[in-house]
């Protein structure tokens, strides 16, 4: 198609190739790595819950060692004992799945309202193709299948443990009130270490995403948003066939907007200042080496009118803004952001330098740099590769070279106090030309607040999974220590009778919990490192956890572990020697 266009119209401004993404990719775009983060956090929470489930089933099997040994002695086969425990595990998994799906039906609408899809009140292409988020039969079937397989897989180990019970060893252990054997302690401890490790990784990731989100929020836009409203206007070629007609229409609309009561300024730009600029321009700075193999650099391109940067309060670092004299017949000029100036002219005055539009051997003109402005926030598309700053050009000159580029253009109106209402804007535009209407009317302050809704949604989900993992890990540690204390009740009674103080008994239990916590946090550090490397390979903007994230995750996990250890330890310290020995 591009070849046919260039053959019929050999205009150097024509595109040489086109990228046609699949429909699914146009929906997903740069969300794939972010979805990976959410799925990874959910998977971590699932593994923690599954390990907790297996540990609780194993603890139940240990408490019933005598029963299983007696069943085996009376003729029950190993297969029968395994089937009995698997049925119990599947029944518990089914009940838990049902309750979980019920909770999901309540929570999903809340999460959707916080998601980018829920925030977008104007609608989106996803809704046009019926991609709305809902809990339907395929979702229920998938969730139920995953949970039942998880229950079957993690319930198998306790079932095998129940089938291997020795009658003599089990009955003698019960009669003595003996503690757990070494293999059982290691198995239960490994479950707890897994939970603590994954919980540590989730907590560290939660703090890291919090820092990343705060950094995005605090990052300056490079222009002022207060008291400004933006809207789009379509200028189709069938109504305005020439560049002069489009420019005249823009001036007429600006005149009506500037005459409104309370309006301080009105300006024009393309694309919208709040959106990531999708218009790219290829260029080569004069005197700089040509990058290979494509032969040019990329920058975002913006079309503006005179006094645009003053109207947006974007700082002019050097040079001048565009003038009315920078028209189609004047030399081609541009204004660059500070990122381009620092990159190609460090320590020099960029004003007066030149940029070649396109390749050095191409037919496009040189652009004279007449000003440098502060950097603007922009969200890069990973597929574009390295994009260096932004190059702004006068709308009048851009209309002359490519009038079709301005089929849609953005107006920004600044007013005193509250932004101008949509009805007032539409009435002013109707006075200029009744054929045109404003759409996508939005306050820049509201647009700025909603600009990072995807990252905020990831922050909410990862933090929720981190909190859930912390609670489950604390419950797992508490369950293991409670089982240990219950099985060592006779030992604690004897120690107390021989002079052990309550403090010493608490330290004895806390020592075991502390060793599990240490192993869990060390394992969690290695897991966090692997997770960060995986995420950064897909999402380069995600930062590496710093000392605050590591220490914060450790402190929170330590506090939860202290609480989980303290309750069983306090119970152990209250062991009454007389009651324990009387029970013997």
């Amino acid at each position: 198609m591009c070849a046919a266009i260039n053959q019929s119209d050999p205009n150097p401004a024509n595109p040489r190739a086109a990228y046609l993404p699949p429909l699914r990719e146009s929906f997903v775009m740069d969300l794939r790595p972010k979805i990976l983060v959410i799925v990874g956090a959910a998977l971590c929470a699932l593994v923690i819950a599954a390990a907790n489930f297996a540990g609780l089933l194993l603890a139940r099997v240990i408490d019933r060692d005598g029963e299983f040994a007696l069943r085996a002695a009376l003729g029950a086969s190993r297969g029968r004992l395994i089937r009995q425990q698997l049925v119990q595990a599947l029944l518990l998994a089914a009940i838990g799945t049902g309750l979980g799906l019920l909770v999901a039906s309540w929570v999903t609408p809340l999460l959707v309202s916080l998601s980018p899809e829920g925030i977008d009140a104007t609608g989106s292409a996803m809704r046009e193709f019926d991609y709305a988020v809902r809990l339907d039969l395929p979702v229920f079937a998938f969730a139920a299948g995953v949970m039942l397989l998880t229950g079957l897989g993690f319930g198998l180990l306790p079932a095998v443990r129940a089938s291997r019970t020795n009658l003599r060893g089990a009955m003698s252990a019960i009669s003595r009130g003996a503690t757990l054997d070494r293999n059982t302690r290691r198995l239960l401890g490994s479950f707890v270490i897994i939970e603590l490790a994954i919980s540590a990784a989730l907590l560290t990731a939660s703090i890291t995403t919090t820092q990343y989100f705060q950094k995005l929020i605090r990052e300056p836009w490079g222009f002022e948003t207060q008291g400004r409203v933006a809207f789009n206007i379509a200028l189709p070629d069938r109504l305005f066939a020439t560049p002069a007609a489009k420019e005249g229409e823009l001036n007429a609309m600006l005149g009506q907007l500037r005459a409104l009561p309370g309006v301080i300024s009105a300006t024009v730009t393309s694309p919208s200042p709040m959106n990531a600029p999708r218009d790219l321009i290829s260029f080569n700075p004069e005197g700089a080496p040509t990058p290979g193999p494509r032969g040019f650099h990329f920058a975002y391109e913006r079309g503006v009118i005179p006094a645009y940067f003053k109207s947006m309060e974007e700082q002019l670092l050097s040079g001048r803004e565009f003038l009315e004299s920078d028209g189609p017949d004047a030399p081609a000029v541009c204004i660059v952001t500070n990122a381009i100036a620092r990159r190609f002219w460090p320590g020099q005055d960029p004003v007066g330098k030149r940029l070649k539009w396109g390749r050095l051997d191409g037919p496009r003109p040189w652009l004279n740099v007449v000003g440098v402005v502060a950097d603007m926030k922009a969200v890069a598309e990973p597929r574009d590769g390295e994009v260096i700053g932004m190059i702004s050009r006068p709308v009048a000159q851009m209309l002359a070279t490519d009038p079709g580029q301005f089929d849609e253009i953005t107006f920004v109106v600044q007013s005193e106090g509250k932004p101008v209402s949509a009805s007032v804007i539409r009435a002013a535009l109707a006075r200029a030309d009744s054929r045109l209407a404003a759409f996508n009317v939005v306050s820049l302050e509201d647009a700025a607040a909603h600009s990072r809704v995807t990252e905020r949604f990831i922050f909410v989900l990862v933090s929720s999974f981190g909190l859930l993992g912390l609670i489950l890990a604390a419950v797992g540690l508490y369950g293991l220590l409670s089982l240990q204390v219950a099985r060592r009740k006779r030992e604690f009674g004897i120690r107390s009778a021989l002079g052990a103080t309550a403090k010493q008994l608490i330290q004895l239990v806390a020592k075991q919990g502390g060793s599990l916590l240490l192993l869990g946090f060390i394992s969690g550090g290695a897991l966090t490192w692997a997770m960060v490397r995986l995420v950064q390979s897909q999402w380069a903007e995600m930062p590496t956890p710093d000392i605050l994230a590591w220490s914060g995750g450790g402190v929170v996990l330590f506090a939860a572990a202290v609480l989980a250890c303290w309750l069983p330890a306090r119970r152990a310290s209250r062991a009454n020697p007389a009651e324990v020995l009387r029970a013997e």
Side-chain angles (χ1 to χ4, degrees), residues 517-536:
L517 176 63
L518 179 61
L519 291 174
F521 197 71
I522 292 175
S523 303
L527 179 62
T528 303
W529 180 85
M531 289 172 56
V532 168
R533 292 297 182 186
L534 176 62
V535 172
Q536 288 180 338

Side-chain angles (χ1 to χ4, degrees), residues 219-348:
E219 184 180 2
W221 283 98
F223 54 85
E224 185 57 57
T225 61
Q226 187 175 6
R228 289 167 172 81
V229 62
F231 57 91
N232 293 343
I233 291 289
L235 298 174
D237 290 340
R238 62 182 179 85
L239 297 180
F240 309 98
T242 64
K246 286 191 177 183
E247 188 174 2
E249 187 64 26
L250 290 177
N251 291 330
M253 288 187 286
L254 285 171
Q256 290 293 333
L257 292 171
R258 288 167 179 167
L260 291 175
V263 170
I264 300 174
S265 67
T267 189
V268 166
T269 180
S270 178
S272 170
M274 301 305 301
N275 295 337
R278 294 308 317 125
D279 297 329
L280 293 175
I281 182 172
S282 58
F283 72 98
N284 275 287
E286 186 177 25
T290 302
R294 62 187 180 187
F296 51 78
H297 300 279
F298 267 140
Y300 292 122
E301 184 179 37
R302 179 173 296 282
V304 300
I305 63 174
Y308 168 80
F309 297 107
K310 179 181 179 181
S311 178
M312 297 297 294
E313 297 185 34
E314 185 173 353
Q315 185 180 6
L316 183 67
L317 301 179
S318 63
R320 63 171 176 86
E321 286 211 44
F322 296 132
L323 305 175
E324 296 294 342
S325 58
D326 294 320
D329 299 327
V333 295
C334 68
I335 294 176
V336 300
T337 53
N338 196 32
I340 295 178
R342 291 195 310 266
R343 174 73 174 267
F344 298 109
W345 304 294
Q348 304 177 48

Side-chain angles (χ1 to χ4, degrees), residues 166-211:
N166 177 270
L167 177 61
R168 177 178 298 178
M171 299 306 293
S172 61
I174 292 175
S175 65
R176 296 193 311 268
T179 185
L180 303 177
D181 61 81
R182 178 177 297 179
N183 291 334
T184 302
R185 289 200 305 271
R186 287 179 176 175
L187 184 58
L188 286 171
S190 65
F191 286 144
V192 175
I193 291 174
I194 290 173
E195 295 177 37
L196 292 172
I198 299 178
S199 180
L202 278 177
L203 288 172
T204 305
S206 299
I207 297 175
T208 303
T209 54
T210 302
Q211 293 173 324

